[in-house]
Amino acid sequence: MQYRGLGSSELKVSEISFGTWAIGGAWGNVNDKESLLALEAAMDKGVNFFDTADVYGDGHSERLLAQATKGREDEIHIATKFCRAGDIHDPATYSEASVRAYCEASLKRLARERIDLYQIHCPPMSILKDGSVFGVLDKLQQEGKIRHYGVSVESVEEGMFCLEQSNVRALQVIYNIFRQKPLELLNEANRRGVGILVRLPLASGLLTGKFTAASTFEADDHRRFNENGESFNVGETFAGLGFAKGVELADRLRWIAEGRGNMTRASLRWLLDHEAVTCVIPGFRNVRQVEDNLAALEVPSFTEAERQRLHKFYQEEVHPFIRGSY
């Protein structure tokens, strides 16, 4: 395992870390026993950073992380997020009283005294421009409730605005082979010493190459109920492409697996080849998925010719079909 600095902070995190949305809920059936075994397997392989949120299974993923990391709080870093348990458009959701309550609730579920990275969970631009939430986070940081704070963003515009906030230490961004526009944001963040957490690196599973046009999803899986943005930003599901188009495009990318084992490993390797990326945070539900994701560390990097081929593919074949804030 290699470790990368989280921007200009003192934190060093595993370049492949993991997100815990899938083990909290909204990705179909979950099994806590398998989830805990997978978390243990990841830590045994050197993973020292996990991303979660208070709304993942109504706090379930936070409680699982507390159980899995008990006694290892100093060596295993946790990032969590807040605001989506309330009305994200209501300024009251970001008041000191509200944010403090969200923070205390997460600390209790995580069984920790301090959150390593506390993130605003995809707030609207109006809230970011208001700016008062950053003052609240400054206060919680000064009190020792949080170590650092950042923002999970949906668009390049939002990310660029957050880079202007002096104490933002990390941005969480959707970035993958299907969603390359944020590269300009990543490069600017790197220049300013702000860390980048890449979420949905496999485009909701499309970039694993395991789906066909006939694949279906369980009723409680967001890939079934949010394909067209019915519940939240459409970009959070299948990179905003829609399932049928995503499968079609993924089939045309099968060549990336040549010499790299499979598309999952190749897709993660492509991300890790970017120096501006602090870490990728794929999801998982079992040990097999953890091990497959970590195998990306052992596969060859992409050549310049391959990178150019993928960028041209994105510009000409993918970008015109992406929907939602970007």
Side-chain angles (χ1 to χ4, degrees):
M1 180 64 70
Q2 299 294 316
Y3 300 86
R4 303 184 183 188
L6 184 67
S8 59
S9 80
E10 78 288 0
L11 291 177
K12 300 287 186 182
V13 301
S14 45
E15 59 184 7
I16 292 184
S17 296
F18 285 96
T20 61
W21 187 8
I23 64 172
W27 287 77
N29 289 335
V30 292
N31 180 302
D32 286 354
K33 182 178 179 180
E34 288 190 358
S35 299
L36 290 168
L37 287 172
L39 286 166
E40 187 66 29
M43 290 186 288
D44 287 347
K45 294 288 187 179
V47 174
N48 74 339
F49 186 52
F50 296 94
D51 175 77
T52 187
D54 56 5
V55 291
Y56 292 171
D58 270 340
H60 187 60
S61 69
E62 288 183 326
R63 287 186 286 268
L64 284 173
L65 282 170
Q67 187 175 343
T69 65
K70 185 176 182 180
R72 305 176 71 171
E73 291 84 358
D74 291 337
E75 60 181 285
I76 305 298
H77 307 307
I78 290 179
T80 193
K81 301 184 284 293
F82 72 95
C83 83
R84 300 193 79 84
D87 179 352
I88 64 169
H89 299 283
D90 185 354
T93 298
Y94 307 87
S95 68
E96 181 175 341
S98 293
V99 177
R100 189 176 292 279
Y102 289 138
C103 183
E104 294 289 355
S106 284
L107 285 167
K108 183 176 181 179
R109 287 188 292 267
L110 291 167
R112 293 192 171 214
E113 296 181 355
R114 180 175 66 174
I115 295 167
D116 294 302
L117 179 66
Y118 201 37
Q119 304 159 102
I120 317 173
H121 197 173
C122 300
M125 182 62 109
S126 59
I127 295 298
L128 295 173
K129 287 186 173 180
D130 172 78
S132 58
V133 67
F134 297 112
V136 174
L137 291 169
D138 285 334
K139 184 174 290 188
L140 291 176
Q141 186 178 37
Q142 291 160 9
E143 294 173 6
K145 299 288 186 182
I146 62 178
R147 194 168 179 175
H148 299 290
Y149 65 80
V151 188
S152 181
V153 298
E154 299 283 12
S155 70
V156 170
E157 181 187 13
E158 292 167 357
M160 289 295 192
F161 182 85
C162 291
L163 291 180
E164 300 296 329
Q165 313 310 308
S166 58
N167 288 328
V168 168
R169 288 291 172 266
L171 294 178
Q172 189 173 139
V173 181
I174 303 174
Y175 186 57
N176 54 58
I177 292 174
F178 282 157
R179 211 169 166 89
Q180 298 184 38
K181 180 183 174 182
L183 179 59
E184 59 181 297
L185 173 61
L186 270 61
N187 289 336
E188 183 62 15
N190 189 43
R191 191 181 73 80
R192 292 173 180 250
V194 173
I196 291 289
L197 283 60
V198 173
R199 73 180 188 275
L200 298 169
L202 301 174
S204 306
L206 286 175
L207 289 169
T208 65
K210 66 183 180 182
F211 297 141
T212 70
S215 297
T216 58
F217 302 94
E218 296 170 52
D220 60 346
D221 190 322
H222 76 99
R223 292 173 293 186
R224 179 170 175 178
F225 65 74
N226 192 62
E227 181 181 355
N228 298 304
E230 295 90 339
S231 298
F232 42 84
N233 189 335
V234 68
E236 298 284 345
T237 308
F238 303 129
L241 287 168
F243 183 64
K245 174 57 69 171
V247 170
E248 173 194 328
L249 292 168
D251 283 343
R252 294 165 59 188
L253 283 176
R254 292 194 179 277
W255 64 268
I256 66 174
E258 295 172 12
R260 298 185 179 95
N262 58 35
M263 285 182 66
T264 296
R265 299 169 193 177
S267 297
L268 295 177
R269 182 70 259 170
W270 180 84
L271 290 164
L272 294 173
D273 286 344
H274 292 270
E275 65 174 1
V277 170
T278 303
C279 64
V280 296
I281 50 172
F284 66 95
R285 285 193 286 187
N286 52 55
V287 172
R288 179 186 58 77
Q289 290 175 342
V290 164
E291 292 177 342
D292 195 28
N293 288 331
L294 291 177
L297 296 169
E298 308 300 327
V299 305
S301 291
F302 283 76
T303 66
E304 179 61 27
E306 288 176 320
R307 288 194 292 270
Q308 289 298 325
R309 180 179 174 183
L310 286 170
H311 184 61
K312 182 179 180 181
F313 175 73
Y314 157 73
Q315 288 183 311
E316 297 180 357
E317 308 297 333
V318 181
H319 178 68
F321 295 96
I322 292 179
R323 302 163 299 165
S325 183
Y326 191 19

